Amino acid sequence: MAREPIGVGAEPDDGNGDTLRAAFQKVNSMTADIYGNSSTGDSLRGSLPVSPASTLSLNFDTAAVFTITSSISIELNFTNASIGDVKDIIITDSGGTSGLTLNSGLTATTIAGTYSATAGAVNFIQVTCTAANTFFLSISQSI
């Protein structure tokens, strides 16, 4: 949600500002995004478990961290990403046959690490949006 400035008038008690009720309605609307209670918004939300599928779209507006347990190859697509958004994806390999590719419509540069398809491997992937459909990825595994 976009920021909604609260009207305070030109000077104290001039009667030109928002009513107390209207001001707090704006506050409630804006903080709903922070706490994940709206369908739009910021990335200040918690973790979202995602069921594995051969093609997955991760909506950047829905969580800060996406967790996936998979034994299949997954093609990822990112939606609703804005420049500067940073998301974490945690993929746990449950069978040693998982794999990861990115949608061909995305430009992605892996700046560190490689994906591990070893059974039991936990891949920590940090994704940073640097331009429209352009991302940097850093990949590491638990020890």
Side-chain angles (χ1 to χ4, degrees):
M1 140 153 243
R3 182 175 181 275
E4 290 186 63
I6 297 170
V8 295
E11 55 186 63
D13 301 319
D14 68 1
N16 293 320
D18 285 340
T19 65
L20 190 58
R21 177 177 171 76
F24 276 97
Q25 285 174 325
K26 289 179 179 181
V27 170
N28 282 340
S29 292
M30 289 185 288
T31 58
D33 280 343
I34 293 171
Y35 292 97
N37 294 324
S38 72
S39 60
T40 64
D42 208 310
S43 60
L44 298 175
R45 297 188 178 100
S47 176
L48 178 66
V50 180
S51 297
S54 59
T55 303
L56 284 177
S57 285
L58 299 182
N59 181 340
F60 270 40
D61 278 348
T62 58
V65 178
F66 298 94
T67 58
I68 305 166
T69 300
S70 178
S71 64
I72 63 173
S73 292
I74 296 172
E75 178 184 293
L76 287 179
N77 188 32
F78 305 130
T79 60
N80 293 318
S82 298
I83 295 171
D85 282 352
V86 178
K87 301 296 175 175
D88 295 317
I89 304 168
I90 302 170
I91 302 176
T92 303
D93 186 290
S94 63
T97 57
S98 73
L100 182 66
T101 58
L102 295 177
N103 181 284
S104 60
L106 304 176
T107 301
T109 302
T110 300
I111 58 174
T114 58
Y115 185 86
S116 175
T118 303
V122 180
N123 293 277
F124 298 93
I125 305 166
Q126 186 171 69
V127 180
T128 304
C129 180
T130 58
N133 293 320
T134 304
F135 302 89
F136 283 163
L137 291 96
S138 178
I139 305 171
S140 58
Q141 285 82 35
S142 63
I143 53 173

